[in-house]
Amino acid sequence: MHKSPDPAMQQKHEALARFLNVDKSQLRVSNGHLYGFKAFFHGNDEAYLVLTDEEATKAAENAVQDKLWLISLETLFAYFDINAYPADLLGKLKTKEIRQANEEIKKLIYHTCGMEPLRQRMLSYGNRKNLLADYDQEEHRQDGFFIYRLY
């Protein structure tokens, strides 16, 4: 049985192709999900999320709890004006260690204010693009969609 294509995904696919000024055949859709949504790949070194406004907010809410380790370190370094970048850890620690640290921070938050106040406060300050666009922290618009470059 042939599964018919999802019209919303087709629209996203076309919007990203126009944004990148490439033929849509050069884009691939991810098998899995990131923050609850499919990503698109262009070549071997570019990945994007293409989302509606509502989807982008939901994805950013989901991203908060996945990036607690990053948010915590960025905030700590900024508070004390330390010239260090949490992303530098990615080459020094194993993904498993980062996930474990993130889970421990998540427990601390759940036992204090809870995740929802943190999510809401972060998004109220306009951090959606910072949470979703790891590559450039930019939120681009194309054909009614928001485009975020992941890498």
Side-chain angles (χ1 to χ4, degrees):
M1 183 168 130
H2 178 54
K3 187 177 177 183
S4 62
D6 176 3
M9 282 302 289
Q10 284 185 327
Q11 289 177 333
K12 291 176 180 185
H13 200 145
E14 291 166 4
L16 182 59
R18 279 191 288 281
F19 175 75
L20 296 174
N21 198 27
V22 299
D23 187 88
K24 69 181 196 172
S25 66
Q26 294 180 334
L27 304 173
R28 299 178 322 280
V29 179
S30 65
N31 291 327
H33 292 79
L34 180 64
Y35 312 129
F37 299 92
K38 296 272 188 186
F40 291 89
F41 299 105
H42 176 242
N44 294 324
D45 58 354
E46 294 177 29
Y48 298 86
L49 284 174
V50 181
L51 306 167
T52 64
D53 188 43
E54 185 178 308
E55 289 172 339
T57 297
K58 183 66 179 161
E61 288 173 352
N62 293 339
V64 169
Q65 70 183 17
D66 289 346
K67 293 185 169 187
L68 291 172
W69 71 273
L70 180 67
I71 295 164
S72 298
L73 285 177
E74 282 180 341
T75 304
L76 185 66
F77 294 161
Y79 184 82
F80 289 107
D81 196 24
I82 295 170
N83 190 20
Y85 303 96
D88 294 342
L89 280 176
L90 295 175
K92 297 175 183 163
L93 290 178
K94 295 177 183 166
T95 302
K96 181 180 174 184
E97 293 170 317
I98 292 172
R99 285 189 181 138
Q100 286 174 329
N102 200 70
E103 286 302 314
E104 295 304 316
I105 296 168
K106 193 184 302 183
K107 286 178 191 173
L108 293 172
I109 290 170
Y110 276 118
H111 286 73
T112 55
C113 65
M115 195 60 66
E116 197 55 32
L118 178 61
R119 283 185 185 126
Q120 294 308 314
R121 184 65 59 95
M122 287 195 72
L123 293 177
S124 74
Y125 286 118
N127 285 307
R128 194 166 78 174
K129 62 186 178 184
N130 303 90
L131 290 164
L132 298 177
D134 291 335
Y135 180 77
D136 58 5
Q137 288 74 51
E138 295 291 329
E139 184 175 70
H140 304 279
R141 292 178 184 229
Q142 179 73 44
D143 302 337
F145 294 103
F146 293 90
I147 297 174
Y148 304 92
R149 183 162 177 193
L150 303 168
Y151 59 84

